[in-house]
Amino acid sequence: MTIKGKATSLDIAHMAGVSQPTVSRALRGSPMVNAETRKRILEIARQLNYKVDKNASSLRCQQSGTLALLFFEDPTPDDSLINPFFHSMLGSITRACALHGHDLLVSFQQLSSDWHADFEDSNKADGIILLGYGDYHESVERLERLVEQGTHFVRWGAALPGQPGVSVGSDNFQGGFDITAHLLDQGCRRIAFLGHADSHYPEFAERYRGHAEALRARGLTPEAALQHDAITTEDSGHNACLALLDRGKRFDAVCAASDLIAIGALRALRERGLRVPDDVAVTGFDDIPLAGSVSPALTTVQQDTKQAGQLLVEKLLGLIAREPVEGINIPVKLVVRESSRRQAL
Amino acid sequence: MTIKGKATSLDIAHMAGVSQPTVSRALRGSPMVNAETRKRILEIARQLNYKVDKNASSLRCQQSGTLALLFFEDPTPDDSLINPFFHSMLGSITRACALHGHDLLVSFQQLSSDWHADFEDSNKADGIILLGYGDYHESVERLERLVEQGTHFVRWGAALPGQPGVSVGSDNFQGGFDITAHLLDQGCRRIAFLGHADSHYPEFAERYRGHAEALRARGLTPEAALQHDAITTEDSGHNACLALLDRGKRFDAVCAASDLIAIGALRALRERGLRVPDDVAVTGFDDIPLAGSVSPALTTVQQDTKQAGQLLVEKLLGLIAREPVEGINIPVKLVVRESSRRQAL
DNA sequence: CTGAAAGCGCTTACAG
DNA sequence: CTGAAAGCGCTTACAG
């Protein structure tokens, strides 16, 4: 019994001596199909290695069972070095999708270019997950457009009031607070902060806010001169740290807004002959795999990527199901390693 | 002018005062449409933010413009630590897909479970890319089944004669040869090889073959006692190195079949108080980002992931277009770092 | 250059 | 419990 091309439900219907809709019902487990008939149909389907045509069923049902992940990456347009933090997010998002019986389309986007957010408009995906750093001010307008169009999407980022759409993020404020408190506990008093601290980078800004709050809680005053902008790349961290050193301001710790920035700072400090943690303690944020392997191993704030991926997918599915959905900030965890361990003064 | 739900080509046809097929033609840039008419249609489509329904067009055309990436991962079933090497592959595959106007479905699979290779059967994808290590003998049968079913697929791995399907891989033999020759140049004479060297792991086996060939080219004889099985994880490398040390065989270099194995070996050697590279030189294979950051930085063989991703996608598209397609082994590059640099004896 | 017609393979009311 | 009918939104011969 050979059939040219792939088998369709009609082929199965003929072979089973029933109508095509009955095949469809049996395959989707409808209760209103005779048990005998169902068994016969399933057996034939198995033999023919039949799979429901997703294009046809998606067209008919007007939903695809697919989510799209849009990965924004500006610093590294061409080569394949993505922020390692996002890799673990990707892993957990994929797994969460599988768990919920959805497929995942993955697409890398330049922040600058027009977003190919037409995955949903073209019915290729039921909703979109946005992932990636970049200047928030440059994307907020496009986010608002997505909301206007009624596109279903969630984004990874700081979940703050007044933002368009639903955001899932880490509790960046708490992370910034905890790691700064830790540095203070180690006896550090003049702590430099590497990373943007303004509304262009809300996640970093929250980390800075936590940082400043921890200082104030100990009666210290955050100094603008001890902060230097940086984005999440090793080079940016390297440059920022050098710039701060050249500024002549003394500091006994670097609180970096991300692990990559911290790793760049480690390199800068080494180049200038400063010992870590003895001369300058260093901390990061993210807990990428590298953090534990660099020397000295990096104290950092661990983001719960596993829960993050799960929540992103679940919130998005909620949105698609037209349930009320709120953003959320996920708790973080301080991970202390050598880069910040020193004798209390 | 509001339309309930999303606009369709019929809506546009009404508004433009033409028939629906004409809209379809104009949108796909068919030459047999009046320039004026086309302009009007495109303008309306833009205003309505119209996007062709992919389900409908895929159903009609019987192809989806989508490829599926199946990621196999046995060692790390649950947590999100994927072999970093595959991350860069993912990056380059995604980019290559975008370049060719295709979307990419990504799916993680347990090696043990039944493959969800039904992406193609369900017409969700036109073809499949298989990526991931594991026992070749356990997967070959399933690969043969894919070939039988006429599924379009390419896999990353050793491209050797007699294998089912089309493989794209690195020139593992040359890599194993080059890095061993380098160790010999550094004065090493008793080189341990960590990694499976049999047909269960064809890529490793090829690396070993190159390794052995380089020894013979210098008049040395490969010794079975200096080889120890290991899979691509740090733990496995760590254990294999300890086992070899416990075996009492002396060696002055470790030629690891992958960077992760080498990093595990570095840890084992450190634990036993052996200095790298002075007591034992160590080399890896892959050139994952970590390789340059561990201490001492790891000498390794760089695989060209960028070209790899491109070739995987292009070969797969060739297969889909029913062109004749051959497997290929991509040239590799030796990257020398501290872990193997020593005074010639 | 354009329209009327058919059909891709499903799912889901609607009858019975 | 089952079948006949309609329709999801496209694309592509087929006429004109």
Side-chain angles (χ1 to χ4, degrees):
Chain A
M1 162 80 19
T2 350
I3 295 177
K4 63 250 153 231
K6 275 170 184 155
T8 70
S9 56
L10 197 60
D11 297 324
I12 297 180
H14 286 150
M15 294 175 67
V18 296
S19 74
Q20 183 268 330
T22 299
V23 173
S24 177
R25 288 191 194 100
L27 258 26
R28 351 194 50 247
S30 155
M32 12 179 243
V33 172
N34 181 294
E36 285 285 288
T37 318
R38 160 182 291 109
K39 228 180 98 187
R40 197 164 71 247
I41 291 173
L42 291 182
E43 176 54 22
I44 297 174
R46 211 188 48 69
Q47 277 175 23
L48 263 53
N49 191 33
Y50 170 80
K51 295 287 175 325
V52 170
D53 186 307
K54 294 278 188 174
N55 293 130
S57 81
S58 299
L59 173 58
R60 176 58 228 248
C61 303
Q62 294 293 75
Q63 57 164 323
S64 60
T66 303
L67 304 181
L69 175 60
L70 264 50
F71 231 121
F72 295 95
E73 36 151 11
D74 233 14
T76 55
D78 187 57
D79 69 349
S80 23
L81 282 172
I82 310 157
N83 183 342
F85 172 69
F86 287 138
H87 281 308
S88 48
M89 288 292 283
L90 172 65
S92 79
I93 290 172
T94 321
R95 262 176 272 270
C97 276
L99 220 61
H100 291 274
H102 280 246
D103 293 318
L104 186 71
L105 279 164
V106 173
S107 168
F108 287 44
Q109 312 265 324
Q110 304 315 118
L111 268 175
S112 45
S113 74
D114 254 0
W115 298 359
H116 293 261
D118 27 293
F119 283 117
E120 186 176 343
D121 296 322
S122 67
N123 285 335
K124 242 191 152 158
D126 302 329
I128 296 169
I129 299 172
L130 300 172
L131 200 56
Y133 292 129
D135 187 329
Y136 178 67
H137 289 201
E138 283 177 21
S139 61
V140 64
E141 188 186 317
R142 284 180 278 194
L143 294 177
E144 276 159 2
R145 193 147 11 110
L146 288 183
V147 173
E148 242 169 64
Q149 292 177 195
T151 302
H152 302 119
F153 75 96
V154 293
R155 54 183 283 275
W156 175 255
L160 298 171
Q163 291 184 332
V166 171
S167 298
V168 173
S170 282
D171 191 339
N172 293 297
F173 175 85
Q174 192 66 45
F177 187 96
D178 290 349
I179 204 154
T180 302
H182 162 74
L183 284 170
L184 292 168
D185 287 344
Q186 297 295 307
C188 302
R189 282 300 171 269
R190 307 188 48 74
I191 306 177
F193 185 92
L194 297 188
H196 283 263
D198 56 37
S199 63
H200 289 262
Y201 295 83
E203 295 181 273
F204 283 11
E206 283 296 289
R207 292 169 196 179
Y208 184 75
R209 215 165 58 76
H211 165 74
E213 186 62 28
L215 292 177
R216 283 193 212 96
R218 305 277 178 111
L220 298 171
T221 312
E223 284 183 60
L226 281 173
Q227 184 269 338
H228 197 288
D229 286 352
I231 59 167
T232 293
T233 66
E234 210 221 308
D235 273 351
S236 181
H238 180 249
N239 293 339
C241 189
L242 289 180
L244 217 50
L245 289 165
D246 289 340
R247 203 185 269 175
K249 262 300 196 194
R250 284 179 35 242
F251 50 87
D252 54 15
V254 167
C255 177
S258 82
D259 286 346
L260 287 179
I261 292 175
I263 290 170
L266 286 178
R267 180 156 58 94
L269 294 167
R270 195 182 316 123
E271 286 169 11
R272 292 298 172 90
L274 292 163
R275 294 163 308 159
V276 176
D278 300 310
D279 296 329
V280 180
V282 174
T283 63
F285 207 110
D286 287 346
D287 199 23
I288 60 178
L290 250 177
S293 310
V294 291
S295 168
L298 196 61
T299 292
T300 190
V301 174
Q302 185 175 83
Q303 304 200 63
D304 188 343
T305 53
K306 194 165 167 186
Q307 216 196 329
Q310 238 164 272
L311 282 169
L312 282 166
V313 169
E314 283 164 13
K315 302 251 167 207
L316 180 53
L317 292 175
L319 240 32
I320 293 169
R322 296 176 192 292
E323 294 160 7
V325 171
E326 300 265 308
I328 190 174
N329 287 318
I330 302 169
V332 294
K333 194 175 110 191
L334 182 65
V335 177
V336 177
R337 299 199 182 94
E338 287 92 67
S339 71
S340 71
R341 260 196 210 112
R342 27 190 221 167
Q343 270 64 327
L345 299 185
Chain B
M1 161 77 25
T2 352
I3 294 177
K4 63 252 152 231
K6 272 168 185 156
T8 70
S9 57
L10 196 61
D11 296 323
I12 297 181
H14 286 150
M15 294 176 67
V18 296
S19 74
Q20 183 269 329
T22 300
V23 173
S24 177
R25 288 191 194 100
L27 258 25
R28 348 194 54 246
S30 154
M32 15 178 238
V33 172
N34 181 294
E36 284 286 287
T37 318
R38 161 183 289 109
K39 226 180 98 187
R40 200 165 69 246
I41 291 173
L42 291 181
E43 177 55 20
I44 297 175
R46 209 188 49 68
Q47 277 176 23
L48 263 52
N49 191 34
Y50 170 80
K51 296 287 176 325
V52 171
D53 185 307
K54 293 278 187 170
N55 292 130
S57 81
S58 298
L59 173 59
R60 178 56 229 249
C61 303
Q62 294 293 75
Q63 60 164 322
S64 61
T66 302
L67 304 180
L69 175 61
L70 264 48
F71 231 121
F72 295 95
E73 34 150 13
D74 234 16
T76 55
D78 186 58
D79 68 351
S80 19
L81 282 172
I82 311 155
N83 183 342
F85 171 70
F86 287 138
H87 280 309
S88 49
M89 287 293 281
L90 171 65
S92 80
I93 290 172
T94 321
R95 262 176 272 271
C97 276
L99 220 63
H100 290 274
H102 280 246
D103 293 318
L104 186 70
L105 278 166
V106 173
S107 169
F108 288 44
Q109 313 264 326
Q110 305 314 120
L111 267 174
S112 43
S113 76
D114 254 359
W115 298 0
H116 292 259
D118 27 295
F119 283 118
E120 187 176 344
D121 297 320
S122 68
N123 285 334
K124 245 194 149 155
D126 302 328
I128 296 170
I129 299 173
L130 301 172
L131 199 57
Y133 292 131
D135 187 329
Y136 179 66
H137 288 203
E138 283 178 21
S139 62
V140 64
E141 187 186 316
R142 285 181 277 196
L143 294 176
E144 275 159 1
R145 190 142 21 106
L146 288 184
V147 172
E148 242 169 62
Q149 292 178 194
T151 301
H152 303 118
F153 75 95
V154 293
R155 54 184 283 275
W156 174 256
L160 298 171
Q163 291 183 332
V166 171
S167 298
V168 174
S170 283
D171 191 339
N172 293 298
F173 175 85
Q174 191 66 45
F177 187 96
D178 290 350
I179 204 153
T180 302
H182 162 74
L183 284 171
L184 293 168
D185 287 344
Q186 296 296 307
C188 300
R189 281 299 169 271
R190 305 188 48 75
I191 306 178
F193 186 92
L194 296 188
H196 282 263
D198 55 39
S199 64
H200 288 263
Y201 295 84
E203 296 182 271
F204 283 11
E206 282 295 290
R207 291 171 197 177
Y208 183 75
R209 216 165 57 78
H211 165 74
E213 187 62 29
L215 291 177
R216 282 192 213 96
R218 304 278 179 108
L220 299 172
T221 312
E223 283 183 62
L226 281 173
Q227 183 270 338
H228 196 288
D229 285 352
I231 59 166
T232 293
T233 67
E234 212 222 308
D235 273 352
S236 181
H238 179 250
N239 293 340
C241 189
L242 289 181
L244 218 49
L245 288 166
D246 289 340
R247 204 184 270 175
K249 260 301 197 195
R250 284 179 38 243
F251 50 88
D252 54 15
V254 167
C255 178
S258 83
D259 285 348
L260 286 180
I261 292 174
I263 290 169
L266 286 178
R267 180 157 59 93
L269 295 168
R270 196 182 315 122
E271 287 170 8
R272 294 296 172 92
L274 292 162
R275 292 164 309 159
V276 176
D278 300 308
D279 297 327
V280 180
V282 174
T283 62
F285 206 110
D286 286 346
D287 200 23
I288 60 177
L290 251 178
S293 309
V294 291
S295 170
L298 196 63
T299 292
T300 189
V301 173
Q302 186 174 83
Q303 304 200 60
D304 188 343
T305 54
K306 195 167 167 180
Q307 217 196 327
Q310 238 163 270
L311 282 170
L312 281 167
V313 169
E314 283 164 13
K315 301 251 168 206
L316 180 53
L317 291 175
L319 239 32
I320 293 169
R322 295 173 193 293
E323 295 160 6
V325 171
E326 301 265 307
I328 190 174
N329 287 318
I330 303 169
V332 293
K333 195 175 110 191
L334 182 66
V335 177
V336 176
R337 300 202 182 93
E338 286 94 65
S339 71
S340 70
R341 260 197 213 111
R342 30 189 216 170
Q343 271 62 326
L345 300 186

